[in-house]
Amino acid sequence: MTSARRAWQAHRAVAGVQVKLAFRYRTRAFAQGVGALLLIGLQVALWAAVYAGSDDSTRAGWLTLHQTTVYAAAGTVWVLCVPGLTLARQLETKIRDGRIVTELLMPMGFLSQWFSTALGRTFGVTTLVGVPAILVAGTLLYPFSLDPGYVGRLLLTVAVAFVILFDFSYLIGLSAFFLRRVDGLNEVREALLLLLGGSMMPISLYPGPLRDAAVWTPFVHGFYTPLGTLVRDPFVDGRVITLGACWAVALTVASVVCTRITLRRLVIAGG
């Protein structure tokens, strides 16, 4: 019990540092929030033009203008808050300059330490950027209704998406043990999230074959699945959510294995 309490305190301290850093650079967060609101306004105008001449009962695929607009607005905030390129670059930098050695002295696992770091940053950025943006753009969600099943599915898909995006960034960062630069992998990750993740438009609006194939990839579950659940997209059913959970488990296992393999490459004091 004592060791578990100490581990919890250590992880909470790591996450707390990231929250403090987020508030320390609150001016940048404020600028990101303003930029998010401007982008949301642009997306609302864009989708309104796409649906021009139709009422809110008109659907493109399975989605109405209201659902698509909410999807785009929530996606803009989601991209700012979840683990992304920054985490991979931070890990790469620490591997390059040797600071990774000091982190191995922490009273916690290396993987769990970085997970707490990502969790703390997400909490801080969400507080500074996500909450204000949601409050200002919240009129897009009205009217809405909540029920226990809906809230449960939403929380589950958000947690799965966070784990998947974290694992991607973490694995890319660890690749610095083998590659000179990880920027190329970061670009590939972003391109696949754009194409297969649904960050440009909901996957349910894709052509049938591409739509059905995309849900079998992990990228779609880091973006489209939670946002599709938010707007009650009928395409996000139990099968899609289960696939996302399976990918979260598989990528976490891959992260654990890769951590053990890569840390063996460290040579400390000749040992």
Side-chain angles (χ1 to χ4, degrees):
M1 183 65 68
T2 301
S3 60
R5 185 184 303 111
R6 289 177 179 174
W8 163 251
Q9 291 174 344
H11 284 93
R12 186 176 62 181
V14 170
V17 169
Q18 294 300 315
V19 174
K20 292 178 181 178
L21 285 175
F23 278 88
R24 174 66 178 82
Y25 296 102
R26 55 188 176 275
T27 302
R28 180 176 64 185
F30 174 78
Q32 289 177 326
V34 172
L37 291 176
L38 293 174
L39 184 55
I40 288 171
L42 177 61
Q43 290 174 324
V44 169
L46 172 64
W47 285 109
V50 172
Y51 282 79
S54 61
D55 55 32
D56 193 54
S57 62
T58 303
R59 296 178 179 271
W62 285 290
L63 301 177
T64 64
L65 171 60
H66 179 265
Q67 289 174 298
T68 306
T69 304
V70 172
Y71 182 98
T76 299
V77 178
W78 179 254
V79 169
L80 291 176
C81 298
V82 294
L85 304 182
T86 302
L87 187 145
R89 288 168 178 162
Q90 287 177 342
L91 182 52
E92 177 193 19
T93 300
K94 292 190 176 185
I95 291 173
R96 295 279 178 247
D97 60 22
R99 283 182 294 163
I100 187 177
V101 176
T102 61
E103 296 190 357
L104 294 176
L105 301 176
M106 298 284 285
M108 63 186 75
F110 187 75
L111 173 59
S112 61
Q113 178 186 165
W114 277 89
F115 185 82
S116 296
T117 298
L119 199 61
R121 178 193 175 278
T122 295
F123 181 82
V125 175
T126 300
T127 303
L128 288 170
V129 180
V131 173
I134 290 172
L135 290 176
V136 174
T139 53
L140 294 171
L141 289 170
Y142 185 81
F144 62 92
S145 60
L146 298 177
D147 59 78
Y150 170 73
V151 174
R153 289 193 303 274
L154 184 59
L155 292 176
L156 173 62
T157 54
V158 166
V160 166
F162 180 88
V163 171
I164 287 176
L165 292 175
F166 165 77
D167 285 335
F168 271 131
S169 297
Y170 179 79
L171 289 169
I172 291 173
L174 279 185
S175 67
F177 277 106
F178 306 95
L179 303 176
R180 179 165 300 185
R181 296 295 299 272
V182 302
D183 290 341
L185 290 178
N186 272 332
E187 294 298 328
V188 171
R189 171 189 181 272
E190 291 304 294
L192 289 173
L193 284 174
L194 282 172
L195 176 62
L196 300 176
S199 58
M200 288 192 300
M201 60 185 290
I203 295 294
S204 57
L205 301 183
Y206 280 28
L210 179 59
R211 178 196 64 211
D212 295 335
V215 296
W216 291 93
T217 70
F219 308 100
V220 72
H221 304 291
F223 197 95
Y224 167 70
T225 301
L227 297 179
T229 301
L230 174 68
V231 300
R232 300 178 186 267
D233 189 337
F235 188 67
V236 185
D237 54 14
R239 177 182 67 94
V240 173
I241 295 175
T242 300
L243 285 173
C246 291
W247 273 114
V249 172
L251 289 172
T252 300
V253 171
S255 296
V256 172
V257 173
C258 289
T259 299
R260 293 179 179 177
I261 294 174
T262 53
L263 293 185
R264 290 174 184 171
R265 296 177 63 89
L266 286 175
V267 179
I268 303 174

